[in-house]
Amino acid sequence: MSYYLLLIPLFPLLGFLINGLLLGKLNKKIVSIVACGAVGLSFLWGLKLFFNLLALPADSRIIEEIAFTWIPSGEFNVNVGFLFDPLSAVMVLVVSGVGFLIHLYSIGYMHDDSGYGRYFTYLNLFIFSMLTLVLANNYLLMFVGWEGVGLCSYLLIGFWFEKQTAADAGKKAFIVNRIGDFGFLLGLFIIFWSTGSLNFITVFDKAPQVFAMGAGLITAATLLLFLGATGKSAQIPLYVWLPDAMEGPTPVSALIHAATMVTAGVYMIARSHVLFLMAPTTLMVVAIVGVATALFAATIALTQNDIKRVLAYSTISQLGYMFVACGVAAFSAGIFHLMTHAFFKALLFLGAGSVIHSLSGQQDMRFMGGLKRHMPTTFWTFLVATLAIAGIPGLSGFFSKDEILWKSFSSDYGSIWIWAIGLFTAMLTAFYMFRLLFLTFYGGERMDHHAKEHLHESPKIMTVPLTILGVLAIVGGYIGIPHILGGGNNFEKFLEPVMGNVQHGGEEAMVMASSGQNGGTELMLMGISVVLILASIYLAYVLYVKNIALAGKIRQSLSGLHKILYGKYYVDELYGAVIIRPLIGLSLFLWKIVDVILIDGLLNGLATIIGDISKIMRPVQSGLLRRYTTVFLLGVVLILGYFVFR
Amino acid sequence: MDLKLATIDLGLIAPEIIIAAVAMLILLLGNVVRRRTILAYFGLFGLVAALLTALPRWGNPASGFYGMVQADNFAIFFKIIFIIAAGLTILMARRYLISHEIESPEFYALLLFSAVGMMVMAATSDLVVIFLGLEIMSVPLYVMAAFARHDVSSNEAGIKYFIMGAFASGILIYGIALVYGATGTTDLRRILADWGFFEMHSQLFLYSGAILVLIGFGFKVAAVPFHMWVPDVYQGAPTPVTAFFSVAPKAAGFAALLRIFTYGFADMSQLWAILWILAVLTMTVGNILAIFQDNIKRMLAYSSIAHAGYILVALTAGGDGAVSSAAYYLLAYTFFNLGAFAVITLIDTRNSSTAQIDEMQGLSGRHPFLAAVLALFMFALAGFPPTAGFMGKFYIFSEAIKNGYIGLAIIGVMNSFVSVYYYLRVVVVSFFARPNKEFEAVSYTPAIFIVLVITAAGTLILGILPGYWLSLARAGIFQFL
């Protein structure tokens, strides 16, 4: 039976081709129908295949389809083939589902933009690349998607390229990502070199035979893959591009820089978990980098005033959580958080977009406030998302975040320190998110008169996606309720055919839970985190609603710390001094000395020589037939002579 | 009606019969049919019909006419190339012929007769039949070169091509005679089978004959030093004729060369050094002389010499892989070289045109689509990914390396670098040069538009998705009969 997996990425590709080739020829209505329809069809087809997958017995839920052979070259054969298993099914549904909602939202948000057609063309190309990334059955095709989403990210960050900052931000994202991509590529070379294949199934089958557990080679390969992941998923040390990426249109921030593309690194590690499990050192690095990034970004988010920047740092922080999950070998927990995060973070960005839209482009929270009355739908959905990301019980974020915290405590690869820092970060998260909520929707209206008259709720085409995402942000977690709370942890069980039983999930956990072993601990830790989170929400309430003066006072008494946090630890400046300036110096040397004098000199010399040869040879081509026949005959004589007198 | 008479199976040569019949009908109908369009499309119809009769034979090779005709996959592959080239030439030629007031039914008939000759060349393993095909192909080409009979340079092209061609034919037939003298047969299969039984002195005859055969076809494919006619003929002939010259006879010449030298004469190891030298000379001389050309047709003439050099690399490397890489390259080259000439043909429909490279100034502003596809074809000629040109070169050079010809591959790659200069010059002029005067507009015809779309699509598809076509090439095209 054929499942036509190809159709999933094909629809957005067609949308991209139609809108791209007829750019400027179609009216906005047709552009939107084509773009949204393409992604919608992908989603529906993905959904159908998802149910097909569910109908299969759990162990055989792997569909691999080869579309065609792409590069046959001796031993190096690459197919354009797709792999549909529980993991890619989740990714496909998240990418196309959330993507579809954001496409709809964009119709409203981008309505008056002159680059409307270009915008949707890029957006469809992005969805195509992302779906290729998650559906690929081999590393090379995954890399194609990986680079494709990077390109789209660049194009969309710099979408308003007339603005210098936007163009710069696009370049920054692209260059920083290159570093990660280089690592990824080197990792792939090691994998191909050792296993002779890039196909996922073959590589994972062969890995135990060619790599020794914990050996240097597999550690190097996985670390390089992880370097790629830190670029795409904005982790220390390569996270610096993501905050600047907020120069792009807000729906783009929601889709690419929150819900989907930035999670590609997490997906890649989850997909390669067989390799990562063979390199405990790498896992430790992943967990530590993850938790450090989570904490680091959360502290920066405390002080930022730009609504989108807060959300950007929050995204970095949440991605840190996902890497913590991968680092403690709780891959399905990471994917679970990836999914719930896609819902609530997309919602937060779209809500922020709605606010910005209403304030005609204002992004500074110091000039917002009191919007609750003017924009009820935006407010309520935003509140839901804020509660979800803060980890209030009953909403999706609670289940996924708590799963990660619990796994970081209980897993063989975890430690109490990771758990503690994770918990502290969760408190910070609740605090800065409610700070954002209060500053934006509560208190006095701090915008100027002109903006105040202009306040309005966004049109239906924008609020409907908000509402749908709001519902998802609530119920999205219910598929993964842990055993301890009486759920079945269905999500983890669904992913089990892919992930295996690596972190004693599934049955074993059920036994443990019912026998009361560990169960008490899990409940207790959960309780602690809920209490602490509620406390920090209350603190935010006191500081930003009840007693605003107090916030200012605290800021003043901690001015040194505030300055560091507000300055984002001056990492950009540090990179500038330590890496970029020496690099520019080196480039100048290479340009002025090596390139201009050495290489150009050599090449120009060579060109002069070739030119001289050409000048000598040209008179032979005189146009005279007798000369032509002479040369011809000379050739015959020479060749025969060469043969005879050799 | 039963077409099979003993070992004479007319089905084997159905494509040739159809095209020849259509060509003769065009000559006859030319007397009564006033509308030339009908004749042109009738010619196209004949080509399509021939294609449809050729394709079903794919995968069941057969031999007939007492071994004189081989309808194997190799032959079919090349027939497809000839049909594509002839069809696209008809589509792009009409507008040019009309604007230069030289359109007549004979043009289409000659084109088709020539295609028949090529098909005969590709579909036999007998040296005499190959020669027969060569002459059927060449005589119409001489006339076509001189088709603009009021134009002096076109007449010059025809005369030069004819005299040089006759010269080369003489050498070729002399070579065949020597081979026959040494072996007692002109059948390549017998020569291959009996190899080792030939005595020492007959080996000398055989080798001398083989070398003369090589030179005879070297003329047709424009290998250096037998290339002197190329620039003059390419520049003087009407542009669509040049387009056809640059692709189809070259492919036919290589079809014969590949069949003779990688099959019949496959054991003549002493020839390989000569092929090596020819390949290097052809690539290098073609590229270096192309650099200083200001006329775009002349530049493409030298470029076509260089491309013949790349294919000679594959011929030197030898082996099944190299043969399929050469065939793949010829198919790809058919698309992008014809595409480039289609753009020039369109520009040349203006009578004022001189086909200088500088004339492309301002093209991108006036005709963005035309400039874009021209750039695509130039990138393909230069061998940039993701075009067919890159994949073609990649396969040829990788086959060369696989068979131990690393030096040859390096020379080939360096030549590609050199070629980038003159191809990109066209792109630079058409996109970035500040025009002195407004680019004089040209008007598309649907036919030329179709040619551009087909060639651009072929260039991209063969470049981005080479897998299918190459696996086709690998999966037994080149089991010669």
Side-chain angles (χ1 to χ4, degrees), chain A residues 68-74 80 607 610-615 617-618 620-625 627-629 631-637 639-640 642-644 646, chain B residues 160 163-164 167-168 171 204 207-208 211-212 215 219 225-226 228-229 231-232 270 273-274 278 285 288-289 291-292 298 302 394-395 464-468 470 474:
Chain A
F68 51 86
T69 305
W70 182 24
I71 309 174
S73 175
V80 172
I610 292 178
D612 290 345
I613 296 174
S614 182
K615 256 180 227 153
M617 281 161 74
R618 265 194 293 181
V620 181
Q621 191 76 42
S622 56
L624 292 176
L625 206 51
R627 206 164 282 178
Y628 291 5
T629 43
V631 172
F632 193 122
L633 212 59
L634 219 61
V636 176
V637 170
I639 291 178
L640 276 176
Y642 169 86
F643 173 70
V644 174
R646 187 170 30 114
Chain B
K160 274 186 179 161
I163 293 177
M164 296 296 290
F167 198 66
I171 286 180
L204 183 65
Y207 268 106
S208 308
I211 288 170
L212 293 182
I215 291 169
F219 169 82
F226 316 112
M228 305 290 285
W229 59 280
D232 293 356
Q270 296 175 41
I274 294 173
L278 278 188
V285 171
I288 289 182
L289 287 178
I291 290 178
F292 289 93
R298 211 168 167 86
Y302 283 110
F394 173 75
Y395 284 126
I464 299 173
L465 309 170
Y468 174 73
L470 206 83
R474 293 255 162 99

Side-chain angles (χ1 to χ4, degrees), chain A residues 14-243:
Chain A
L14 289 178
F16 159 71
L17 289 176
I18 294 171
N19 278 341
L21 290 176
L22 300 174
L23 197 63
K25 301 235 164 67
L26 301 175
N27 67 33
K28 288 187 177 178
K29 202 163 186 178
I30 296 177
V31 169
S32 347
I33 291 173
V34 168
C36 299
V39 182
L41 285 172
S42 278
F43 177 70
L44 289 178
W45 192 250
L47 205 61
K48 183 207 168 269
L49 293 179
F50 172 71
F51 285 116
N52 285 351
L53 202 66
L54 281 184
L56 295 169
D59 289 340
S60 52
R61 283 179 189 163
I62 294 180
I63 304 171
E64 193 180 16
E65 278 183 2
I66 309 294
F68 51 86
T69 305
W70 182 24
I71 309 174
S73 175
E75 291 160 29
F76 182 68
N77 265 297
V78 179
N79 294 316
V80 172
F82 301 106
L83 183 70
F84 197 70
D85 62 1
L87 178 57
S88 41
V90 170
M91 294 303 292
V92 163
L93 291 183
V94 168
V95 170
S96 58
V98 175
F100 177 65
L101 293 175
I102 293 174
H103 270 70
L104 284 185
Y105 177 95
S106 300
I107 296 176
Y109 192 86
M110 299 299 288
H111 196 263
D112 301 323
D113 200 282
S114 57
Y116 192 81
R118 188 162 58 93
Y119 174 83
F120 276 102
T121 308
Y122 291 163
L123 221 52
N124 267 4
L125 180 64
F126 167 75
I127 297 281
F128 162 69
S129 310
M130 190 70 200
L131 289 172
T132 308
L133 194 165
V134 299
L135 275 171
N137 78 336
N138 60 69
Y139 277 109
L140 196 67
L141 188 60
M142 184 194 220
F143 190 67
V144 171
W146 186 274
E147 290 298 311
V149 293
L151 170 70
C152 296
S153 164
Y154 163 76
L155 290 172
L156 284 162
I157 293 170
F159 183 74
W160 289 310
F161 52 81
E162 314 86 11
K163 215 165 86 185
Q164 186 60 36
T165 47
D168 286 347
K171 268 190 272 179
K172 184 171 177 182
F174 202 73
I175 293 168
V176 171
N177 265 297
R178 286 261 76 65
I179 301 171
D181 294 349
F182 188 59
F184 188 15
L185 209 53
L186 287 180
L188 295 194
F189 288 156
I190 295 184
I191 291 172
F192 179 72
W193 180 56
S194 342
T195 64
S197 173
L198 286 175
N199 180 288
F200 290 139
I201 295 176
T202 321
V203 168
F204 301 150
D205 275 354
K206 279 193 182 165
Q209 294 141 41
V210 293
F211 296 118
M213 182 76 187
L217 196 61
I218 183 72
T219 308
T222 47
L223 277 176
L224 287 167
L225 291 187
F226 178 59
L227 179 63
T230 59
K232 194 110 299 183
S233 295
Q235 296 294 292
I236 292 174
L238 298 180
Y239 71 93
V240 287
W241 63 272
L242 187 60

Side-chain angles (χ1 to χ4, degrees), chain A residues 361-397:
Chain A
Q362 179 60 264
Q363 302 196 7
D364 194 326
M365 293 190 292
R366 284 170 297 189
F367 303 102
M368 293 182 185
L371 293 177
K372 185 180 164 191
R373 267 170 293 129
H374 301 285
M375 319 180 67
T377 316
T378 306
F379 167 70
W380 284 109
T381 51
F382 204 90
L383 178 66
V384 166
T386 310
L387 290 170
I389 190 175
I392 298 299
L395 288 96
S396 61

Side-chain angles (χ1 to χ4, degrees), chain A residues 463-485:
Chain A
T463 53
V464 169
L466 288 180
T467 318
I468 298 174
L469 281 172
V471 173
L472 287 171
I474 299 173
V475 303
Y478 292 138
I479 55 170
I481 300 177
H483 301 290
I484 193 77
L485 294 180

Side-chain angles (χ1 to χ4, degrees), chain B residues 250-264:
Chain B
K250 197 179 284 279
F254 272 111
L257 277 177
L258 288 168
R259 203 189 277 272
I260 296 171
F261 285 91
T262 64
Y263 173 71

